[in-house]
């Protein structure tokens, strides 16, 4: 099989996998709903139970759509960081950007005494959480950018990012120590990660906030390829490398902050998925790698969502208990293989 045909087959397989996993996400849960009735609910045709209609339209459908876009956003964030810093172990969680977003959310959540359920019901409350998450993510990104201009060794820069994440996590721990019991409980539940925190009312906000940055990234294929080769080569092609890096890091912060605010800090998807995409398609060309990463990120997030829902009536598995099981082996393999950007 030729390489181009293999890539087309892989893309088709990913698209079909997303469709199947999306359907399974609508079927799996504490209440068993037949696929035919789900189709009737989505199309508005046929008679179905009102409770089933509520479960699908207000719970499972928003959750599946959230997983679809959150997975794509996190995977692209990891790819952008790995390209910008030419470091295979770069990711929003490793560089502390997710921790920065979590700090912003903690400041809002814990200051409100744990009244997250009240806040989540209003656009104003989520706007406050989203703004705080973005501010925290941008602050950590600015720190990483500052050190990247002075630390040329990618391993040392990675250590700076990890230490920054530790400092931010320590501040969050201190905030938890001073917060109310209800505030700590609410923040810890949010920190476990969950694609089910976005209601149908808030879904357009989440989809728009992730889709717009993803569209912008898809228009940046040529400068991203130039950055991957090197700054000197990129400048010879007319790419303003400093401006490009600032834009890339801003988009990464937005994608990470939005996903973290709505779904909690999700580990490993941003770090592992770009590597799997490179292995599957045997390329670093962003013309193919970007859409492949988006598709694969969505598929992995939907798979994690299905696994979390499998216990059914016995409860929901925390998302961050599942993502390391899928992502950690990939990173171990990458490290053992000695992959370079």
């Amino acid at each position: 099989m030729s390489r181009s045909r293999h890539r087309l087959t892989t893309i088709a397989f990913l698209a079909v996998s997303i469709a199947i996993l999306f359907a399974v996400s609508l079927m799996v849960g504490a209440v068993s709903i037949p696929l035919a009735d789900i189709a009737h609910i989505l199309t508005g045709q046929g008679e179905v139970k009102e409770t089933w209609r509520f479960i699908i339209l207000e719970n499972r459908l928003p959750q599946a759509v959230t997983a679809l876009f959150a997975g794509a956003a996190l995977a692209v964030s990891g790819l952008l960081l790995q390209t910008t810093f030419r470091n295979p172990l770069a990711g929003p969680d490793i560089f502390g950007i997710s921790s920065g977003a979590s700090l912003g959310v903690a400041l809002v959540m814990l200051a409100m005494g744990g009244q997250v359920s009240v806040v989540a019901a209003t656009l104003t409350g989520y706007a406050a959480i989203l703004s705080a998450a973005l501010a925290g993510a941008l602050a950590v990104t600015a720190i990483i950018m500052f050190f990247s201009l002075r630390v040329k060794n990618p391993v040392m820069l990675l250590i700076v990012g990890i230490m920054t994440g530790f400092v931010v996590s320590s501040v969050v721990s201190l905030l938890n120590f001073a917060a109310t019991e209800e505030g700590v409980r609410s923040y810890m539940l949010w920190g476990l990660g969950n694609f089910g925190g976005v209601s149908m009312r808030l879904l357009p906000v989440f989809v728009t906030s992730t889709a717009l940055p993803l569209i912008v990234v898809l228009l940046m294929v040529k400068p991203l390829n130039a950055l991957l080769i090197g700054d000197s080569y990129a400048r010879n092609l007319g790419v303003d490398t400093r401006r490009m890096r600032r834009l890339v890091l801003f988009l990464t912060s937005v994608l990470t902050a939005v996903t973290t605010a709505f779904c909690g800090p999700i580990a490993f998807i941003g770090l592992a998925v770009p590597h799997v995409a490179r292995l599957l398609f045997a390329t670093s060309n962003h013309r193919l790698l970007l859409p492949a990463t988006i598709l694969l990120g969505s598929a992995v997030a939907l798979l994690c969502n299905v696994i979390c829902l499998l216990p059914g009536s016995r409860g929901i598995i925390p998302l961050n208990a599942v993502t390391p099981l899928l992502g950690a082996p990939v990173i171990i393999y990458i490290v053992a293989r000695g992959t370079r950007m």
Side-chain angles (χ1 to χ4, degrees), residues 14-23 25-26 59-76 194-196 198 203 206-208 210-211 214 255 259 263 266 269 273 290-306 319:
L14 286 176
V16 172
S17 298
I18 289 172
I20 293 173
L21 289 168
F22 193 92
S25 293
L26 298 180
N59 185 349
R60 295 185 186 177
L61 181 60
Q63 187 168 354
V65 175
T66 299
L68 190 77
F69 281 88
L74 290 171
V76 168
N194 180 19
F195 290 131
V198 182
L203 188 62
F206 176 76
V207 170
T208 303
T210 50
L214 287 174
L255 290 170
T259 307
C263 308
I266 302 173
I269 291 181
V273 169
L290 259 175
T293 300
I294 290 174
L295 289 174
L296 188 60
S298 296
V300 169
L302 284 168
L303 176 61
C304 291
N305 186 55
V306 169
L319 187 59

Side-chain angles (χ1 to χ4, degrees), residues 80-110:
L80 291 177
L81 289 174
Q82 289 166 15
T83 298
T84 302
F85 295 107
R86 294 198 292 279
N87 191 323
L89 295 179
D93 45 345
I94 298 297
F95 268 6
I97 299 175
S98 296
S99 297
S102 298
L103 174 59
V105 174
L107 289 171
V108 174
M109 278 187 169
L110 299 179

Side-chain angles (χ1 to χ4, degrees), residues 94-95 143-144 147-148 151 154-166:
I94 298 297
F95 268 6
I143 293 172
I144 299 300
F147 280 102
S148 71
V151 179
V155 176
M156 297 305 296
L157 185 62
L158 194 67
I159 292 173
V160 169
I162 293 172
M163 292 302 106
T164 303
F166 276 132

Side-chain angles (χ1 to χ4, degrees), residues 250-297:
F250 174 76
L251 291 171
T252 301
S253 298
V254 171
L255 290 170
T256 303
V258 171
T259 307
T260 302
F262 282 92
C263 308
I266 302 173
F268 281 103
I269 291 181
L271 182 59
V273 169
H275 289 296
V276 178
R278 289 189 191 95
L279 291 173
L280 284 176
F281 292 89
T283 183
S284 293
N285 186 342
H286 288 76
R287 190 174 302 279
L288 176 61
L289 189 58
L290 259 175
T293 300
I294 290 174
L295 289 174
L296 188 60

Side-chain angles (χ1 to χ4, degrees), residues 10 37 40 43 47 61 100 105-106 128 138 140 158 176 189 205 218 239 241 244 273 286 296-297 300 304 318 335-336:
T10 306
D37 289 308
H40 290 155
T43 57
E47 293 294 327
L61 181 60
V105 174
L138 286 173
V140 173
L158 194 67
N176 276 305
L189 288 175
V205 178
L218 286 171
V239 177
T241 54
M244 184 62 189
V273 169
H286 288 76
L296 188 60
V300 169
C304 291
V335 172

